[in-house]
Amino acid sequence: MSYKHSKRFLMCCPIRCLCITGFLILFHGPVLGSSEKLQILEQPEILKPVKQQTRIIKLVNHIINRTHYLKISLDDDSSSRIFDQFVDNLDPSKMYFLKSDIQNFKDQGLHLRLDDDIKSGRLDTVFEVFNLYRKRVYQRIRFALLRLDKPFNFKINETFELDRENLNWSESMDGLDDYWRKRIKNDIINLKLSEEEESDIPTLLSKRYRNMADQWTKMDEQDVFEIFVNTYVGAFDPNTSYYSPIRAENFKIQMSLSLQGVGAVLQMEDGYVVVRRIISGGPVDRSGKLQPDDRIVGVGQEDSEIVDIVGWKLDDVVKLIRGPKQTTVRLEILPAETGLSGKSEIISIVRDNIRLEQQAARSNIIEVETDSGISNIGLITLPTFYTGIQSRDKSTRRSTTSDVRDLVVDMQSKNIEGLIIDLRGNGGGALSEAIGLTGLFIRNGPIVQIQDSAGQTDIDYDRDAELIYDGPLMVLVDRYSASASEIFSGAIQDYNRGLIVGEPTYGKGTVQNIVNLDNLVRTDDPLGQVKITTGQFFRINGHSTQYRGVVPDIVWTTMRESDEIDDQHGERGYDNPIPWRSIKQAKFNPYQSKLPQSVIDQLITNHESRINSNSYFTYTRKINELFWGTVSRKKISLSESIRQSESAQHEAKIEMFDNYRKQALELLEADSDRMISLSENQPDSQDSTEYLIEAAHILLDSIHIQTLAGDLAENRLTSSTSMHN
């Protein structure tokens, strides 16, 4: 299966429901007759562009040409790329279009016409491609509904392609018929193995296929226009987007963090709604029931029936999930930990507002037993970089920098030997706070460089000489640490101020601005907004945080570890990401000399020795092997005996590893020699706690090794000897 990020503006995607938990021998037994099924399948109407869209596309092109960071100009090469991307966005799994369809478009020269069409505001080519696509969808769904009436042989050992992204287009209708026959067969097996009643499966699949057709039938001219405009701007940069007036309002709601929902960022991927990020302080975060990369396959209200939402538009799914405060939404999910082959689960989440106070920094003390006694390591958990959060008594406005300053001062009174800043899952926030926070740990100096589309570079400085903490420091990051988190951790690394530990970060190193189209022309009708990339962040060492992210000094194992996935995560996983590059480094004074590689190597050796003898991390490695082995499959058998065997083996391993995990955590919790306590302010799971404990050990190791080599304070540099040019 491909882990490439989903096409951002795809309105409906192929269905892949791979819940392998049971066994099916034969299926045959339609509920609706063929004529009844086809009568409720509407023929798609022909859509045409509307006049206002000409104005909008020309405005968007004007903005892109004038202000985009990459200085974009349209030509035949870019036209061909936009055409290919548009077709791919419509049909990423190559399950509707024929090879002859694509060739006919190119024979007419449509793929080379889009640059001129965009400049002049013509959209006929776009709608011609879309109308044929919708016709092909209708034909495929019609075939699927008719094919449901026929029996399937589940004894033959044929395979079904799960990942068709890199395959060629089908040469004929017969080729598509064969793919859809196998797809239907696989859907039947999956539902049976997911413990659906055999008698209910025809009705469920019939509804699912008709829902797929309905999504496209209900689409209007505005939907087609949005798909194309975002294909155009996304062909150069995945962070530049067009928002229609309705979507602009939804974006505003999301940015305010005030919606009454569950507090999760969702995305379409291969027909599933995938959880991309959990918003700290939201209902999902507080419940701990939903995790990043979980897939939502059904939604129900209170005690009502779960509605199958595979293949739905994301907007429609979001409407189901949102609702009044203190009401319950039930979600059927495929957990990420067990992969797509796992059994689905149903969880309940009580809708509520995002609790902004839980976005704020919080502190804890990790007490670790060492050979010389108990060592106190300070911990600050920072979910986001915020500014202007009102205090509970509404007398002051809180910010990341001011809150962390107070927390550090308080912890220093408790004689901490080192400090950990936990930025795992921190997707960014206010740039000013990333600069201010860095300033708490250095005297002063440059923090980040920002280059605009004209090539001009500005440098943002911390000009406050205040140094709130000068002791040993560590920053924890993961693949969800982005933007402001990368600016802070990158600056700490460049100044040699502390150790960076965890996973390579997200790689979001570009600057976006919002342009309201209504402000550019006189109009009575709203035109929407454009979010456009206008600049790029660079570290003070001259390296960008874009694409590559921040690479930790020590990379450790996690439940999501995989070289293949790491290459496809964050900005690295999007189509057309702005590449990594470097500029001239800024002049700055490192806080201290860089740790010798020999010290880093020793820290890694000690770390690996501990986790190799740690029952929890042994469990982590085993579950990783199962997880990646399951989700990386590109083909699946349609033989019931093979699927039964795979299902039994998978379930047995999941149960074994789950028991192993419970035993490991019980042993670790009872081991008073490895940890005395983690203060009650820390709401993280025991799984997360294991990583915090290991982080404390790494930091203590670095203190010990440097102490043996000489006084830590003597490692500090003076401005006269440390200037970088």
Side-chain angles (χ1 to χ4, degrees):
M1 174 167 291
S2 171
Y3 293 93
K4 202 76 170 173
H5 282 192
S6 65
K7 308 303 183 275
R8 295 173 302 139
F9 307 101
L10 192 60
M11 307 300 289
C12 183
C13 304
I15 297 173
R16 292 180 185 169
C17 184
L18 310 178
C19 313
I20 307 172
T21 56
F23 179 62
L24 180 67
I25 298 177
L26 184 66
F27 170 83
H28 181 55
V31 174
L32 292 177
S34 299
S35 59
E36 294 175 280
K37 291 178 182 178
L38 297 181
Q39 284 176 359
I40 55 180
L41 184 64
E42 296 182 12
Q43 282 271 10
E45 63 176 317
I46 301 299
L47 297 179
K48 297 181 180 180
V50 297
K51 185 176 181 180
Q52 187 187 49
Q53 293 169 352
T54 294
R55 182 182 226 182
I56 295 174
I57 190 68
K58 292 171 70 175
L59 277 174
V60 171
N61 183 54
H62 174 73
I63 294 168
I64 295 295
N65 286 336
R66 290 194 59 184
T67 61
H68 196 282
Y69 177 66
L70 294 182
K71 298 180 180 179
I72 293 170
S73 61
L74 290 173
D75 54 22
D76 283 354
D77 287 341
S78 58
S79 176
S80 180
R81 185 147 54 95
I82 293 168
F83 176 85
D84 290 341
Q85 193 74 62
F86 183 53
V87 171
D88 189 43
N89 282 351
L90 293 175
D91 193 6
S93 293
K94 299 179 175 63
M95 52 191 282
Y96 297 113
F97 277 130
L98 292 168
K99 181 180 180 179
S100 59
D101 294 333
I102 309 303
Q103 190 58 51
N104 286 338
F105 289 140
K106 293 189 175 182
D107 288 344
Q108 298 176 58
L110 301 188
H111 63 304
L112 301 178
R113 191 185 300 168
L114 289 178
D115 56 331
D116 297 324
D117 287 352
I118 291 171
K119 294 173 185 177
S120 62
R122 294 194 304 267
L123 294 165
D124 295 336
T125 296
V126 172
F127 279 80
E128 181 179 346
V129 173
F130 180 83
N131 283 322
L132 177 60
Y133 173 69
R134 193 153 68 161
K135 176 182 177 181
R136 293 287 184 248
V137 172
Y138 172 83
Q139 291 172 341
R140 288 296 97 210
I141 300 304
R142 186 177 189 276
F143 172 86
L145 293 175
L146 290 173
R147 188 61 183 82
L148 272 173
D149 287 347
K150 300 178 182 179
F152 292 86
N153 183 355
F154 296 98
K155 295 182 179 181
I156 59 175
N157 186 20
E158 57 182 347
T159 58
F160 178 66
E161 294 276 355
L162 297 176
D163 184 1
R164 293 173 53 86
E165 183 177 3
N166 297 317
L167 297 181
N168 295 323
W169 299 98
S170 293
E171 297 275 354
S172 65
M173 283 292 185
D174 289 341
L176 282 181
D177 287 350
D178 188 59
Y179 163 75
W180 276 84
R181 176 188 63 80
K182 291 180 178 179
R183 175 199 172 118
I184 298 165
K185 186 176 179 181
N186 185 59
D187 286 345
I188 294 169
I189 293 176
N190 288 333
L191 290 174
K192 182 63 177 179
L193 299 179
S194 294
E195 301 179 355
E196 289 285 348
E197 291 291 336
E198 185 173 348
S199 59
D200 294 335
I201 291 176
T203 300
L204 179 57
L205 284 182
S206 180
K207 288 181 179 179
R208 180 178 289 183
Y209 298 152
R210 292 198 308 274
N211 283 339
M212 292 173 62
D214 286 346
Q215 297 304 318
W216 292 104
T217 300
K218 294 175 182 177
M219 288 182 66
D220 58 19
E221 295 82 0
Q222 181 60 32
D223 293 319
V224 180
F225 178 71
E226 281 189 58
I227 294 174
F228 176 71
V229 175
N230 281 301
T231 298
Y232 157 45
V233 299
F236 305 98
D237 160 37
N239 292 299
T240 296
S241 307
Y242 167 71
Y243 295 93
S244 67
I246 294 176
R247 291 183 185 274
E249 183 62 27
N250 287 337
F251 180 73
K252 180 180 178 181
I253 292 174
Q254 291 173 7
M255 292 302 292
S256 70
L257 296 179
S258 61
L259 61 90
Q260 292 178 353
V262 297
V265 177
L266 307 177
Q267 184 180 28
M268 287 299 300
E269 181 176 299
D270 292 336
Y272 289 107
V273 173
V274 181
V275 179
R276 277 289 162 241
R277 183 166 62 87
I278 304 299
I279 298 175
S280 181
V284 165
D285 181 46
R286 299 197 297 270
S287 74
K289 295 179 180 179
L290 201 61
Q291 303 298 328
D293 299 326
D294 285 350
R295 289 166 169 80
I296 301 174
V297 297
V299 180
Q301 311 300 326
E302 301 289 345
D303 295 326
S304 65
E305 179 183 357
I306 298 288
V307 177
D308 184 283
I309 53 89
V310 177
W312 281 36
K313 290 170 56 177
L314 182 59
D315 287 352
D316 292 337
V317 176
V318 170
K319 289 177 183 177
L320 282 184
I321 294 176
R322 285 181 182 172
K325 185 177 179 180
Q326 298 305 317
T327 59
T328 299
V329 60
R330 297 164 64 233
L331 305 176
E332 183 177 1
I333 65 170
L334 294 174
E337 285 76 8
T338 57
L340 290 175
S341 298
K343 183 179 180 180
S344 64
E345 300 175 3
I346 295 178
I347 63 173
S348 296
I349 304 291
V350 178
R351 300 179 178 100
D352 201 351
N353 291 332
I354 306 299
R355 296 181 183 176
L356 295 182
E357 66 271 15
Q358 290 197 9
Q359 296 270 306
R362 57 182 184 267
S363 67
N364 300 273
I365 299 292
I366 306 175
E367 297 179 345
V368 181
E369 181 74 21
T370 67
D371 293 339
S372 57
I374 296 175
S375 294
N376 289 338
I377 298 296
L379 170 68
I380 290 180
T381 303
L382 188 61
T384 187
F385 286 83
Y386 55 90
T387 184
I389 293 181
Q390 200 169 53
S391 60
R392 289 190 176 184
D393 61 8
K394 299 184 179 181
S395 60
T396 59
R397 306 290 288 184
R398 299 169 54 187
S399 69
T400 298
T401 304
S402 61
D403 284 354
V404 171
R405 178 189 292 110
D406 294 342
L407 294 173
V408 172
V409 169
D410 178 66
M411 284 192 292
Q412 287 188 78
S413 68
K414 300 175 183 177
N415 300 316
I416 59 173
E417 297 182 39
L419 177 64
I420 298 173
I421 306 292
D422 188 357
L423 298 181
R424 292 175 301 166
N426 186 320
L431 172 63
S432 60
E433 294 305 316
I435 296 169
L437 184 65
T438 308
L440 298 181
F441 304 105
I442 64 171
R443 288 292 180 191
N444 50 42
I447 305 300
V448 64
Q449 304 184 83
I450 306 174
Q451 189 178 82
D452 63 20
S453 58
Q456 299 296 316
T457 302
D458 290 329
I459 302 177
D460 283 344
Y461 290 83
D462 165 53
R463 302 186 184 278
D464 188 346
E466 177 188 29
L467 180 64
I468 198 68
Y469 174 75
D470 64 356
L473 179 67
M474 173 188 288
V475 181
L476 290 183
V477 294
D478 65 9
R479 64 190 57 207
Y480 302 106
S481 304
S483 194
S485 290
E486 295 172 297
I487 291 171
F488 172 76
S489 56
I492 294 297
Q493 193 175 55
D494 290 343
Y495 274 102
N496 302 330
R497 178 60 187 89
L499 276 173
I500 311 299
V501 176
E503 301 174 291
T505 59
Y506 193 88
K508 169 63 169 64
T510 54
V511 183
Q512 283 75 41
N513 288 323
I514 300 291
V515 178
N516 191 331
L517 300 183
D518 300 341
N519 296 334
L520 302 181
V521 295
R522 293 183 178 181
T523 178
D524 294 330
D525 298 320
L527 302 177
Q529 299 177 346
V530 175
K531 177 166 69 75
I532 184 170
T533 296
T534 57
Q536 186 168 352
F537 290 119
F538 292 88
R539 292 164 57 160
I540 55 175
N541 70 357
H543 293 176
S544 177
T545 57
Q546 171 64 17
Y547 193 81
R548 294 182 183 177
V550 176
V551 179
D553 301 302
I554 298 176
V555 179
W556 63 15
T557 181
T558 73
M559 287 291 288
R560 300 292 186 271
E561 183 186 26
S562 167
D563 291 340
E564 177 187 356
I565 305 307
D566 190 58
D567 289 341
Q568 307 249 353
H569 186 78
E571 291 285 306
R572 300 178 287 280
Y574 282 113
D575 291 323
N576 313 309
I578 290 178
W580 179 92
R581 54 185 291 261
S582 62
I583 60 174
K584 182 180 179 181
Q585 72 174 23
K587 294 181 178 181
F588 66 99
N589 301 320
Y591 175 83
Q592 57 192 11
S593 59
K594 185 177 178 64
L595 276 181
Q597 187 58 46
S598 59
V599 173
I600 297 293
D601 291 342
Q602 185 60 55
L603 293 177
I604 294 173
T605 298
N606 294 352
H607 162 66
E608 290 178 346
S609 176
R610 277 190 301 272
I611 66 173
N612 286 337
S613 60
N614 182 304
S615 54
Y616 175 77
F617 286 104
T618 300
Y619 150 76
T620 300
R621 285 192 296 273
K622 289 184 176 181
I623 201 69
N624 278 345
E625 293 174 4
L626 176 65
F627 179 61
W628 296 122
T630 300
V631 302
S632 61
R633 289 189 298 178
K634 297 183 181 298
K635 295 181 179 181
I636 193 169
S637 173
L638 295 179
S639 162
E640 79 273 14
S641 59
I642 293 176
R643 292 283 282 273
Q644 181 190 35
S645 176
E646 291 176 344
S647 174
Q649 292 175 23
H650 184 83
E651 289 298 311
K653 286 182 179 179
I654 289 294
E655 184 177 358
M656 177 181 68
F657 291 157
D658 190 51
N659 290 334
Y660 191 93
R661 169 184 171 275
K662 292 177 181 178
Q663 294 172 9
L665 293 178
E666 289 173 359
L667 288 172
L668 294 171
E669 189 173 359
D671 186 356
S672 60
D673 289 336
R674 60 180 284 282
M675 186 192 78
I676 301 301
S677 68
L678 184 65
S679 67
E680 61 183 10
N681 293 329
Q682 177 62 35
D684 291 23
S685 66
Q686 183 65 34
D687 298 84
S688 177
T689 298
E690 293 309 313
Y691 287 101
L692 293 175
I693 296 167
E694 176 55 27
H697 280 296
I698 294 173
L699 185 54
L700 286 170
D701 274 356
S702 70
I703 296 170
H704 177 67
I705 292 172
Q706 292 179 81
T707 300
L708 290 178
D711 191 343
L712 281 171
E714 294 179 359
N715 195 33
R716 311 274 165 75
L717 299 177
T718 64
S719 59
S720 62
T721 62
S722 61
M723 180 70 74
H724 279 207
N725 296 302

